Each structure stands twice: as structure tokens, then as C-alpha cells.
Amino acid sequence: MPKARPAPGGVRAGRRKALSLPPAFSSAALVIRIAPRDVGLFRFLLEGRDNLGLFTVLDSRAALLKLLFSPHQTADMRAALAEMAELVPFAVEEWPAPRGAGRGHPAA
């Protein structure tokens, strides 16, 4: 079987160049509100973005997710979320949420 030839310039086609950013001292975070049945699709779409971020479930019944990502990639994450929202409906909120928000209480 013949070896695959590298693309011009020696870089394989389809691969992004590794980012060279200073270390972040903390993660950026957003809250995602999504239908419980769509959490698996959201995970699949996020993983398809080269693991741009990861999430943890804050409330499984309400499908409330905390999305963590590098603060250096905030613009990339927001763009990815905008594209993902075309396929699966969800709401994005800032983290930390205002006091009392999300629990049926008006924001303070």
C-alpha cells in the first residue's frame, strides 16, 4: 500500500495548526439551557469542534450545563455555539448567573 503524500508545504490537509497561546489561569464559562433529549447531540457537536470546550451537567432534569473553555478562545466558542444553534435549539447565559436567575426568581 503506497504511503499518503503530505499536502504542499508538508502539512496534512484538514489539520489546523496548533495554537501557541500563553497559559490561562482559569477557564471561561457559560451556562447552556437545552432540552434534555438534545444533550447528547450537543455533546457530539461540541466534540466535533476539536474539543473546543467541555461541559458538566449542573441540573440533569432541567438540562442545565456549564460549558468550560479557554478564555483565549471565547470568540471561537461563541462562533461555534452560533453554528450549533442552527442544528439544535439552546440558550446561552453568562456564568456566573445573576443571583436568583434560573430558579423562577427575577434576577437581582
Side-chain angles (χ1 to χ4, degrees), residues 4-15:
R5 288 189 226 164
V11 179
R12 291 162 80 187
R15 290 238 164 170

Side-chain angles (χ1 to χ4, degrees), residues 13-30:
R15 290 238 164 170
R16 284 197 239 170
K17 189 175 180 182
L19 293 175
S20 178
L21 299 170
F25 295 103
S26 63
S27 295
L30 294 169

